[in-house]
Amino acid sequence: QGQNACVILNVTSSEVLSGNDICFFPCSAKGAGACGSWPVAMETVDGRLSVSKTLSALNGVLTGKVGEGARGGSVWFKESSSRNLRSRDFLAPQAALRAVFGDGQVPDGISKDVLLLKCPGVPPIQNCQKGPTGLTVQLERPAVFAEILEAIPLYAKPPQVAPGHSIVLNCVPLHGCQGLNSLSLSHLRAILVTDHLAGVLQAQGVDVHLVPALADEETQRFLHQLQIEWPSGLETSSAEDILAMKDALRQCPYAVFTETDQEGVVCKLLLKEFLGKQQQQQQESLEGYDLNLDVFLVTEEKLLHVAELQRAALQGAVFAPGRCYGIVHVASHEEAFQQQKVDLLWRLVAPQTPPVPQKHLVCGPVKIPAATSPVSILQYFQ
């Protein structure tokens, strides 16, 4: 309605959307720092508007203003809150601006430079303002809608994906799944999104591998009822794989081996120290991680998680040499922070492996109006 009208594309009938899932124009699957050789699904093609191209252009404006010794990286993000969308479409938070500009003061001329942006895939911008929350951008929404609605066939056309792309979709909630009772509705949403994304990518000719293999038969039958075909089987990692990772951790300068009361803990990883060192070396591939990442208690379960990812990546390299490979971690919002730690753990225990581009797709929370107690996925299905 009015400025908050929305266009929803590629939505499965099995998923209920909340305001946080809605974009007012088609968005890109690629985030800041994305590898250019990834599949170009939902990327700017033939003049289509793109969230990722807009974010890249906005970040480029700030990068040009970063002073000596300031930290670069992705600063802007696409607004998704229905309340905030009333006044802005993109935001560079004040805390992120302080991290980029040492004194926290945004140089004069930034707003003007943003208004002058004329790049492929970037929609018309109405205003850019400084405020207590940071820098905000609002688009000329009537012009954006007019451009999209006048070119519906262009946006509906399936993207062309160059041959030779492979993607591992890692559904985080299914790792260590102990049965249906261990899965929440937020977990179910992540599973549905993973299945839908697999179908979309496969329709574009991308070679998709689903991880992990599911051993629990009850969960397998339940997913089958939802028309989700998930790979089954108990694929246990060899003891040699786990031992190799533990040896790598013993050689890692960021790992601390101490006595702990928690069962199954192998060591502590000082991730804050690791990320700080990488930032000093200007490692662009490590942009975008949560600034609150600090100490990570590495457990046997997490090593098994990494071992399965490592096996999937190695199998892809062996059976499909020369393919462009990437991994997408699909996680519920409760697991997103921990999954960033697993991502970094993999980098540290397998440094000899060619780094695989990793993306994190985080699903928003599922809210049940007027529910007096948590609703299980079985209750939801019934």
Side-chain angles (χ1 to χ4, degrees), residues 51-180:
V51 168
S52 70
K53 288 294 183 183
T54 305
L55 290 172
S56 178
L58 290 172
N59 282 315
V61 172
L62 290 183
T63 302
K65 300 291 183 179
V66 170
E68 192 80 23
R71 184 176 68 84
S74 180
V75 177
W76 294 85
F77 72 88
K78 169 72 180 69
E79 187 58 74
S80 60
S81 162
S82 57
R83 182 183 65 181
N84 292 336
L85 279 170
R86 296 169 188 165
S87 59
R88 67 193 187 217
D89 296 301
F90 293 89
L91 171 68
Q94 194 64 46
L97 292 172
R98 280 197 297 269
V100 174
F101 304 104
D103 56 2
Q105 296 298 316
V106 178
D108 294 332
I110 286 283
S111 296
K112 183 179 179 181
D113 290 346
V114 168
L115 290 174
L116 293 175
L117 275 177
K118 302 293 181 185
C119 304
V122 178
I125 295 175
Q126 178 177 320
N127 62 60
C128 176
Q129 299 177 337
K130 296 181 188 177
T133 57
L135 275 176
T136 63
V137 162
Q138 187 169 33
L139 303 179
E140 293 184 14
R141 295 189 181 177
V144 171
F145 277 99
E147 182 171 339
I148 292 173
L149 295 175
E150 290 170 2
I152 288 295
L154 182 64
Y155 285 94
K157 183 175 67 175
Q160 298 299 312
V161 178
H165 287 92
S166 293
I167 285 185
V168 173
L169 293 181
N170 176 34
C171 189
V172 176
L174 291 179
H175 281 276
C177 176
Q178 301 298 317
L180 291 178

Side-chain angles (χ1 to χ4, degrees), residues 74-349:
S74 180
V75 177
W76 294 85
F77 72 88
K78 169 72 180 69
E79 187 58 74
S80 60
S81 162
S82 57
R83 182 183 65 181
N84 292 336
L85 279 170
R86 296 169 188 165
S87 59
R88 67 193 187 217
D89 296 301
F90 293 89
L91 171 68
Q94 194 64 46
L97 292 172
R98 280 197 297 269
V100 174
F101 304 104
D103 56 2
Q105 296 298 316
V106 178
D108 294 332
I110 286 283
S111 296
K112 183 179 179 181
D113 290 346
V114 168
L115 290 174
L116 293 175
L117 275 177
K118 302 293 181 185
C119 304
V122 178
I125 295 175
Q126 178 177 320
N127 62 60
C128 176
Q129 299 177 337
K130 296 181 188 177
T133 57
L135 275 176
T136 63
V137 162
Q138 187 169 33
L139 303 179
E140 293 184 14
R141 295 189 181 177
V144 171
F145 277 99
E147 182 171 339
I148 292 173
L149 295 175
E150 290 170 2
I152 288 295
L154 182 64
Y155 285 94
K157 183 175 67 175
Q160 298 299 312
V161 178
H165 287 92
S166 293
I167 285 185
V168 173
L169 293 181
N170 176 34
C171 189
V172 176
L174 291 179
H175 281 276
C177 176
Q178 301 298 317
L180 291 178
N181 291 332
S182 67
L183 297 175
S184 67
L185 284 184
S186 292
H187 292 151
L188 180 58
R189 166 181 257 183
I191 296 168
L192 291 170
V193 169
T194 305
D195 178 68
H196 176 63
L197 184 57
V200 170
L201 292 172
Q202 287 168 343
Q204 297 169 13
V206 178
D207 185 24
V208 177
H209 302 272
L210 297 173
V211 173
L214 196 55
D216 184 70
E217 293 184 1
E218 181 189 25
T219 305
Q220 187 76 253
R221 287 193 299 270
F222 176 75
L223 295 183
H224 183 72
Q225 287 180 297
L226 297 178
Q227 298 184 2
I228 296 176
E229 299 300 329
W230 197 270
S232 60
L234 185 61
E235 295 189 22
T236 56
S237 300
S238 66
E240 289 79 7
D241 294 336
I242 303 301
L243 286 175
M245 291 183 184
K246 290 181 178 179
D247 288 340
L249 286 171
R250 291 188 183 93
Q251 303 299 319
C252 176
Y254 307 103
V256 178
F257 288 81
T258 56
E259 293 283 337
T260 176
D261 295 335
Q262 298 186 20
E263 188 177 352
V265 173
V266 177
C267 67
K268 294 180 181 179
L269 272 184
L270 307 179
L271 296 181
K272 198 179 195 78
E273 193 175 314
F274 169 64
L275 288 173
K277 184 72 172 178
Q278 300 305 306
Q279 286 173 1
Q280 291 175 8
Q281 298 174 358
Q282 296 183 337
Q283 293 285 337
E284 292 185 5
S285 62
L286 291 180
E287 290 179 358
Y289 288 88
D290 195 304
L291 298 177
N292 295 312
L293 288 171
D294 195 353
V295 176
F296 179 32
L297 294 179
V298 180
T299 63
E300 295 275 353
E301 182 182 353
K302 298 303 181 187
L303 289 179
L304 288 171
H305 187 150
V306 170
E308 186 145 15
L309 293 174
Q310 176 82 342
R311 182 171 55 250
L314 291 176
Q315 286 176 348
V318 170
F319 295 118
R323 280 181 172 265
C324 174
Y325 224 88
I327 289 188
V328 177
H329 305 285
V330 185
S332 66
H333 72 291
E334 302 100 332
E335 301 162 319
F337 189 71
Q338 283 295 318
Q339 191 57 32
Q340 288 192 41
K341 296 181 179 181
V342 174
D343 173 329
L344 294 173
L345 171 62
W346 187 13
R347 294 174 184 270
L348 288 168
V349 298

